[in-house]
Amino acid sequence: MQELTQQELIDRVNHEEEGPFAVFLFTPFCGTCQITERMLEIIRTMQPDLPLVKSNINFLPQLSREWQITSVPCIVMVEAGKEKTFMYRMQSVDELYRRLLPLINN
């Protein structure tokens, strides 16, 4: 999973032609974030074309304020012209897979 800086993430959000994608927001010492990242790795093994990137929330002060991120881990689904979807509860690989599947089918 590619890790993006704040500027790279802003650029990707503003490039509508790249299509919808998800960004996994984390902090390095968050245990729940590490578990979520492992679940996402399992999903990416099944769906290598899943448009998913990650960013350390500690280095995203502007986006953190704009998106009003309340906690990590957080997965933000970004689609041009639509409201962003925020996921804060990652219960299982199966649930995450079902929620991220629309990104693959676009």
Side-chain angles (χ1 to χ4, degrees):
M1 191 176 349
Q2 180 185 7
E3 187 166 343
L4 301 181
T5 65
Q6 179 168 269
Q7 190 57 53
E8 291 169 333
L9 188 53
I10 290 170
D11 292 345
R12 178 126 186 215
V13 167
N14 292 331
H15 269 90
E16 297 177 8
E17 59 272 358
E18 287 194 36
F21 70 98
V23 59
F24 167 56
L25 302 175
F26 70 98
T27 59
F29 298 111
C30 164
T32 309
C33 297
Q34 293 171 7
I35 292 168
T36 300
E37 185 166 13
R38 180 66 186 126
M39 290 192 290
L40 291 170
E41 288 171 2
I42 292 167
I43 293 168
R44 289 205 29 112
T45 300
M46 295 184 296
Q47 295 290 341
D49 294 333
L50 179 67
L52 177 67
V53 295
K54 67 180 183 177
S55 289
N56 183 339
I57 195 75
N58 293 324
F59 301 117
L60 305 176
Q62 178 184 346
L63 282 179
S64 176
R65 280 189 307 274
E66 285 178 19
W67 292 356
Q68 299 177 357
I69 303 301
T70 58
S71 67
V72 291
C74 178
I75 298 173
V76 183
M77 295 176 65
V78 180
E79 192 169 348
K82 293 193 177 178
E83 190 69 30
K84 293 167 189 59
T85 305
F86 299 88
M87 291 187 278
Y88 290 101
R89 188 181 57 109
M90 291 26 128
Q91 213 167 358
S92 67
V93 172
D94 183 49
E95 177 198 5
L96 272 178
Y97 180 76
R98 279 187 276 114
R99 300 218 27 214
L100 294 171
L101 195 58
L103 296 175
I104 299 165
N105 295 332
N106 270 333

